[in-house]
Amino acid sequence: MSFDIEVNNQPFDTEPRAGQCLRTYLRERGWFGVKKGCDQGDCGACTVHVDGEPVHSCLYPAVRAKGRSVTTVEGLASPEGELHPVQRKFLDAQGFQCGFCTAGFLMTTAALEAEQGTEHDDHKLADLPRAFKGNICRCTGYRAIEDAVRGVRHTERPCAGMAVGKSLGAPAGPQVVTGTARYTFDVEVPGLLHMKLLRSPHPHARIVSIDTAAALRVPGVHAVLTHEDAPDTLYSSARHEHPTEDPDDTRVLDDTVRHVGQRVAAVVADSEQAAEEGCRRVEVVYEELPYVIDPEEAMAPGAPMVHEGKGPEARIARVENNVAGEVHGEIGCVADGFADADVIHEETFLTQRVQHASLETHGCVAYFEPKEDGTGERLTVRSSTQTPFLTRRALCALYDLPEDEVRVVAGRVGGGFGGKQEMLTEDIVTLTALKLRRPVKLEYTRAEQFHGATTRHPFTIGIKVGARADGTLTAIQMRVVSNTGAYGNHGPAVMFHSVGESFAVYRAPHKKVDAFSVYTNVVPAGAFRGYGLGQVTFAVESVMDELARRLGMDPLVFREKNIIGPGEAMHSPIGEEEDLHIASYGLDQCLTVVRKAIAEDESSEKAPEGWLVGQGTAMAMIATGPPGGHYADARVSLLSDGTYDIAVGTAEFGNGTTTVHKQITAGALNTTEDRLTVRQSDTDVVRHDTGAFGSAGTVVAGKAVLLAATSLAERLRTFAALHTGVARHLCVLGPEAVECAGRVVTLKELHEAARARGAEQELAADGHWGGSPRSVAFNAQWFRLAVDPDTGEIRILRSVHAADAGKVMNPMQCRGQVEGGVAQALGATLFETVRVDDRGEVTTAAFRRYRLPQYADVPRTEVHFMETTDAIGPLGAKSMSESPFNPVGPAFANALRDATGIRFTELPVTRDRVWLALDQRAREASN
């Protein structure tokens, strides 16, 4: 048939393939602003206009667009390049973080604005929960999106040298709102092959044989890789600076599968359709093995061994008991502490699996490029990763390649939250590219994110706390069991971290912990925002609240009596970390903010008649970086045109580090942000960076940038003095020039002078920071909520968050990190849960089954920053990406306890669980 379609005023006549959706049709024609987020019309990232009407293009058959006009986000701006009013609003309000969902929100908003005043106008923009019911954002917490729609401006343009502390907009903002920011798969690679993975249907099985003949006969299939093609080398998918932190228990393709969804074979073909058909035709004979789902059962004698046969070189604590890692410790004697207590409270808490749900799924593209010296080719891997340098290191070790033979590049990453501190696709794609010497792409589907990626660790926390009648704590004891799933990536480290700051924030003479990270035959867990602290903090803060109630004390007063103070040592039964210090203290201010909110609050008046109303608080402490070293190297250079170049390795995925690095540099060099460019997350053009995880973007990479920029400022003044013959202290660095006792030397002139002297290299400087010593950050969350006793419905009446971030480098961005953390934590508190059946198979492998927070679910959180200046962090700053998550769950549970009188000890506290608990209490009372 003849086919014609107009896309952004450009005609196309290529017929779509049978069954092709409009999203892939548009992306194949270079309109990369149309994003793939969910595959099922749930997230809205693929929204485009068809004849002015917004549609989810992943559900819209391309053939239906015949003869129609399609507009993508790239087509919103005028032909002259002037931004559409909606794009300008989102840019001014910074209504995005990673930006992967932004095109969808822009297209939805633009369509609704176009309807205003027409016969189709049904006032949807006045009802944003309704307007955005088809759009999901995982990063922002939605407040910034609402402000964008309402035309609220947050961005500032600071004067030279004054960027730190101002709300500078993200450097990539214009690209994000116009759809031209390039994420992992927003590239055209000639000759690209597509990979699909055959995955295990069994929770535990040995592969007896694999017949690939029928798959290889599928037209377009080039290769089928099995465990016979993979190296025997064991490694961990987790990425840490020191690989020995994780057990080496994983093979690229294994002859034993340990969870439903584990990859068994890789089929590579000219198209995804051919690769999928090839997967269906691979014939595998399995010998099914006994499996275990529950971690307590997994540790019991006689349980099936998940990693039977692995030796000490795998660094598994106890293979025979399925214990990936464990820690045991005691300060004082808890038996004596409990004997000294007047009140003891003991409880067991459960937290669930949670999916990261970053809208950009895992994936990478590997291809070969000519070497600069013309001696052949080398491999480039473009990946959605938080750790490009550690991934390159792992690939080179796995395939015995020199590091200069491999380049790893992270484009703009569409969300991470710890989930992309893993090597889940790069290993198998690299293996295939090396074998075929062809470009290869693997992009996870949304379902694969659930059964083939990682989750947050589910925890069981048994906790016992004792106190005297005056509220003084005498003893804290915990038994923690973390379910790491089929593989130990991050398992021991998450377990270890979970019982660190959660213990240390409270004073008690007697503390004891026994913690276990346990293998089971379910989808592996991994790094997730908070890194174990959120799970244990839920238990600790719930018990502290309950103990205060039993003592008849105000929970805030009880906490203030027992928390550590400035300058105190942080004691944990797992041992003190010598490089961890309270380099600034804002916890007292955090609790003061909460007390003020309680005193002035009138939100209970908004509760419907007959509903139960309550309020609750929780707090948390977190180290401002990972232990054991987290390294960053940076270089700042003066360029020939008089502008500056910042080269730093950390990746950008909405965490805002790129903006902060520009602000730090602008301050040190007394310049403006428009005179700075940033190169990052490319192992070819920047120096080593451990990675964008552990909230290290500001306190580690930012410190390296500060050292480099400060050093360059000194060099520029020194060279200007040499060039002009003026005393160095009389040379003042400005935005575009150095003023030397009345003589103005432009930076461009200075660069030319340095080149003439052969001293050009002197106009660049390096900075390095090793991540140690470290400080701590504090957070407190407070909720007032209302509960309908007849249905279990919960409404958040007010949400207040106090954050001790030290010197706040960018208030707008930092507020966004807090709001996003609160929103994500509310999802985990209220409804998010990755469910598995009795065989360990994930049953919630789609957004419509896995409930993510939408616009209507998230309240506007009032964010307050404390007035502290850290002695360790760059310019007094502390980290603030992970920490806001941790106090949210327990604060909500404490408010729910206050409202209902019932202590909920398992997350999520879904509406049906609340109703069942209330109903059971009512029936017991009637009897």
Side-chain angles (χ1 to χ4, degrees):
M1 68 172 186
S2 62
F3 186 82
D4 63 284
I5 181 176
E6 185 180 84
V7 182
N8 299 330
N9 298 316
Q10 296 182 30
F12 293 88
D13 58 8
T14 304
E15 285 189 26
R17 297 186 301 275
Q20 185 174 26
C21 70
L22 182 58
R23 184 196 70 211
T24 59
Y25 183 88
L26 293 170
R27 286 186 60 82
E28 287 174 4
R29 271 133 205 95
W31 303 109
F32 294 127
V34 185
K35 296 293 187 253
K36 169 188 172 179
C38 67
D39 307 310
Q40 294 184 328
D42 295 329
C43 75
C46 67
T47 303
V48 300
H49 296 172
V50 177
D51 288 343
E53 293 293 322
V55 302
H56 287 178
S57 60
C58 69
L59 297 180
Y60 194 95
V63 69
R64 283 186 57 192
K66 178 182 178 182
R68 298 178 182 270
S69 176
V70 176
T71 304
T72 73
V73 68
E74 293 98 328
L76 280 184
S78 70
E80 295 76 29
E82 184 178 348
L83 293 182
H84 186 282
V86 170
Q87 291 172 314
R88 173 52 61 189
K89 288 180 180 179
F90 270 74
L91 191 59
D92 289 344
Q94 293 284 283
F96 54 86
Q97 284 183 25
C98 85
F100 201 79
C101 70
T102 304
F105 277 96
L106 284 164
M107 300 307 289
T108 300
T109 305
L112 295 177
E113 283 201 353
E115 288 182 0
Q116 287 184 318
T118 70
E119 61 180 322
H120 304 290
D121 182 10
D122 55 1
H123 306 291
K124 284 184 182 177
L125 281 179
D127 182 5
L128 291 184
R130 178 186 173 204
F132 290 141
K133 64 182 180 181
N135 294 84
I136 291 173
C137 177
R138 188 55 158 166
C139 298
T140 65
Y142 296 104
R143 187 274 313 163
I145 293 171
E146 178 183 355
D147 285 355
V149 174
R150 304 299 184 213
V152 179
R153 179 175 184 138
H154 294 298
T155 56
E156 300 178 89
R157 294 294 302 272
C159 299
M162 303 295 291
V164 171
K166 303 297 184 182
S167 293
L168 189 70
Q175 290 75 44
V176 168
V177 300
T178 56
T180 55
R182 289 294 175 251
Y183 296 80
T184 306
F185 299 109
D186 298 342
V187 292
E188 296 183 27
V189 181
L192 185 65
L193 300 178
H194 299 266
M195 177 185 291
K196 287 293 180 180
L197 298 173
L198 175 68
R199 296 184 178 274
S200 169
H202 303 296
H204 199 192
R206 185 173 294 109
I207 296 173
V208 177
S209 65
I210 301 181
D211 187 347
T212 63
L216 288 168
R217 287 195 293 269
V218 173
V221 170
H222 289 256
V224 181
L225 276 66
T226 71
H227 63 87
E228 295 180 353
D229 302 290
D232 293 329
T233 306
L234 292 175
Y235 62 98
S236 172
S237 67
R239 299 291 93 226
H240 282 112
E241 180 66 40
H242 305 290
T244 53
E245 291 185 28
D246 308 288
D248 284 338
D249 55 13
T250 304
R251 276 187 70 191
V252 176
L253 290 167
D254 207 330
D255 57 359
T256 299
V257 291
R258 296 177 175 86
H259 69 95
V260 175
Q262 180 171 328
R263 59 195 189 194
V264 172
V267 179
V268 187
D270 290 328
S271 67
E272 290 187 3
Q273 293 84 351
E276 287 172 350
E277 180 61 26
C279 285
R280 285 189 283 269
R281 298 196 187 187
V282 175
E283 298 177 6
V284 186
V285 177
Y286 297 95
E287 175 194 349
E288 294 190 52
L289 301 172
Y291 59 91
V292 61
I293 303 301
D294 180 82
E296 293 287 359
E297 294 177 6
M299 287 191 288
M305 291 169 56
V306 179
H307 286 278
E308 184 175 5
K310 288 191 170 69
E313 69 280 358
R315 296 187 304 280
I316 298 171
R318 286 187 282 136
V319 174
E320 68 279 8
N321 297 116
N322 294 314
V323 176
E326 59 188 321
V327 62
H328 307 276
E330 186 170 10
I331 298 171
C333 174
V334 291
D336 292 343
F338 290 124
D340 193 33
D342 295 307
V343 177
I344 296 172
H345 186 73
E346 189 171 5
E347 191 63 78
T348 298
F349 294 84
L350 303 175
T351 66
Q352 79 283 31
R353 290 178 187 83
V354 176
Q355 234 291 322
H356 303 80
S358 51
L359 288 192
E360 182 190 40
T361 60
H362 282 80
C364 69
V365 183
Y367 50 93
F368 291 90
E369 293 180 310
K371 291 183 179 179
E372 289 185 1
D373 60 8
T375 59
E377 293 182 318
R378 67 177 188 138
L379 185 69
T380 293
V381 180
R382 182 178 173 89
S383 173
S384 183
T385 178
Q386 296 173 228
T387 59
F389 284 89
L390 301 189
T391 298
R392 179 182 67 171
R393 180 191 294 171
L395 292 174
C396 291
L398 189 57
Y399 297 113
D400 194 25
L401 299 169
E403 287 196 352
D404 62 0
E405 293 284 328
V406 179
R407 174 190 182 194
V408 175
V409 181
R412 189 170 178 89
V413 178
F417 318 113
K420 293 173 182 176
Q421 193 191 339
E422 304 275 357
M423 186 173 69
L424 299 179
T425 60
E426 300 91 340
D427 52 352
I428 185 67
V429 170
T430 295
L431 173 65
T432 309
L434 291 172
K435 282 184 175 292
L436 299 180
R437 308 299 296 187
R438 289 279 304 274
V440 180
K441 169 188 172 182
L442 171 60
E443 181 178 11
Y444 274 13
T445 64
R446 181 53 57 187
E448 285 180 299
Q449 285 293 112
F450 281 94
H451 56 241
T454 61
T455 71
R456 188 188 193 210
H457 287 78
F459 270 56
T460 301
I461 308 110
I463 182 169
K464 182 179 180 181
V465 181
R468 297 190 184 96
D470 66 356
T472 303
L473 288 173
T474 61
I476 306 172
Q477 181 176 357
M478 279 194 278
R479 182 180 184 272
V480 174
V481 176
S482 168
N483 187 343
T484 197
Y487 293 92
N489 47 300
H490 296 284
V494 165
M495 174 269 302
F496 190 90
H497 187 239
S498 73
V499 292
E501 295 95 282
S502 59
F503 260 109
V505 72
Y506 283 103
R507 296 191 216 97
H510 308 284
K511 299 178 179 180
K512 183 179 181 181
V513 66
D514 294 285
F516 307 87
S517 177
V518 185
Y519 287 117
T520 58
N521 294 110
V522 297
V523 60
F528 189 101
R529 199 173 201 165
Y531 213 68
L533 269 182
Q535 294 94 312
V536 175
T537 298
F538 171 60
V540 171
E541 289 297 292
S542 294
V543 165
M544 293 302 174
D545 186 81
E546 198 65 35
L547 198 59
R549 292 177 184 278
R550 293 188 61 181
L551 288 166
M553 291 182 68
D554 180 333
L556 280 180
V557 173
F558 178 79
R559 287 182 173 86
E560 288 168 336
K561 187 177 184 68
N562 291 289
I563 56 176
I564 59 172
E568 291 187 35
M570 291 171 279
H571 298 294
S572 169
I574 63 175
E576 292 185 39
E577 298 179 67
E578 294 183 359
D579 73 333
L580 191 60
H581 309 280
I582 302 177
S584 61
Y585 187 82
L587 184 52
D588 53 348
Q589 295 181 46
C590 290
L591 296 180
T592 297
V593 166
V594 170
R595 179 171 279 106
K596 187 172 186 288
I598 294 171
E600 298 177 353
D601 185 62
E602 298 178 352
S603 62
S604 57
E605 298 175 1
K606 302 175 185 176
E609 185 177 352
W611 286 39
L612 309 173
V613 179
Q615 59 89 18
T617 305
M619 64 180 202
M621 178 177 74
I622 190 171
T624 58
H630 191 113
Y631 305 116
D633 294 290
R635 166 165 277 217
V636 181
S637 310
L638 178 66
L639 302 179
S640 60
D641 63 356
T643 63
Y644 297 98
D645 173 76
I646 308 165
V648 60
T650 190
E652 176 63 62
F653 55 99
N655 45 356
T657 54
T658 309
T659 320
V660 169
H661 294 164
K662 290 187 75 169
Q663 290 177 274
I664 288 172
T665 305
L669 295 171
N670 193 31
T671 190
T672 53
E673 77 280 359
D674 59 325
R675 299 186 64 80
L676 304 170
T677 56
V678 181
R679 292 179 296 148
Q680 62 194 107
S681 53
D682 182 338
T683 60
D684 245 25
V685 301
V686 296
R687 300 187 182 186
H688 181 79
D689 188 279
T690 296
F693 63 88
S695 300
T698 294
V699 297
V700 180
K703 186 119 178 181
V705 169
L706 175 62
L707 292 170
T710 304
S711 178
L712 178 57
E714 293 300 310
R715 291 189 179 191
L716 290 172
R717 283 191 284 267
T718 298
F719 188 78
L722 176 66
H723 178 61
T724 61
V726 173
R728 183 182 173 282
H729 72 278
L730 297 177
C731 296
V732 179
L733 184 60
E736 301 181 33
V738 183
E739 183 177 340
C740 303
R743 178 179 171 184
V744 176
V745 182
T746 66
L747 295 175
K748 183 176 180 181
E749 178 186 342
L750 204 63
H751 188 279
E752 291 171 352
R755 178 180 296 175
R757 288 173 177 259
E760 185 179 357
Q761 70 276 8
E762 294 183 9
L763 302 188
D766 298 320
H768 170 81
W769 186 246
S772 180
R774 300 173 294 147
S775 185
V776 290
F778 300 97
N779 295 75
Q781 174 70 41
W782 176 78
F783 287 110
R784 187 178 294 279
L785 51 79
V787 183
D788 183 353
D790 296 325
T791 65
E793 180 184 348
I794 304 172
R795 292 186 191 175
I796 298 172
L797 303 178
R798 193 174 174 201
S799 171
V800 176
H801 192 99
D804 172 25
K807 170 65 176 177
V808 178
M809 311 297 276
N810 187 312
M812 175 183 63
Q813 279 192 170
C814 197
R815 179 185 176 189
Q817 287 292 297
V818 172
E819 291 169 333
V822 171
Q824 196 171 51
L826 276 173
T829 301
L830 286 168
F831 33 73
E832 287 186 54
T833 182
V834 177
R835 301 187 185 278
V836 298
D837 62 17
D838 57 5
R839 298 175 64 253
E841 182 173 2
V842 174
T843 60
T844 50
F847 282 163
R848 60 189 55 190
R849 297 192 186 100
Y850 180 83
R851 174 98 151 75
L852 281 174
Q854 293 180 280
Y855 185 97
D857 300 311
V858 180
R860 284 180 75 100
T861 293
E862 303 164 33
V863 178
H864 301 265
F865 293 118
M866 305 306 98
E867 295 183 2
T868 60
T869 300
D870 199 68
I872 295 174
L875 304 175
K878 296 200 278 193
S879 60
M880 198 47 57
S881 291
E882 296 186 80
S883 58
F885 188 102
N886 297 331
V888 172
F892 192 93
N894 291 340
L896 196 56
R897 163 69 169 87
D898 190 50
T900 64
I902 300 171
R903 172 60 62 187
F904 289 86
T905 59
E906 181 176 356
L907 293 180
V909 283
T910 56
R911 178 174 174 173
D912 57 333
R913 284 180 178 170
V914 173
W915 181 84
L916 286 169
L918 290 168
D919 181 67
Q920 180 180 349
R921 187 180 64 180
R923 284 188 281 107
E924 290 173 353
S926 65
N927 293 331

